[in-house]
Amino acid sequence: MMVVLIFDRFRYDVVAGCALIAAVCVGIVPADEAFSGFADDIVIIVGSALIVSAGVARSGIVDIAIKKSFPI
């Protein structure tokens, strides 16, 4: 998994999901605990922050603020 992430050919979420599924299939991670980490509050907070930051980036608000603050 680390090698695939280092070469950056595939999306990191797809690589992580495939690695989790492979770990469950091989028996490294018990199936009943495979997705228990998603119940942690910090995962929800980080996921929410990523969604909000993507929305702000796509809206163009930051670009407008930068252009008004630093005219070229």
Side-chain angles (χ1 to χ4, degrees), residues 8-62:
D8 197 29
R9 292 200 54 177
F10 303 103
R11 291 178 32 176
Y12 63 89
D13 54 343
V14 174
V15 173
C18 290
L20 178 61
I21 291 170
V24 170
C25 290
V26 172
I28 297 171
V29 176
D32 57 340
E33 294 181 14
F35 298 100
S36 64
F38 292 110
D40 192 10
D41 290 340
I42 194 66
V43 173
I44 296 169
I45 292 169
V46 170
S48 300
L50 290 172
I51 291 170
V52 169
S53 66
V56 169
R58 288 183 183 188
S59 71
I61 292 173
V62 175

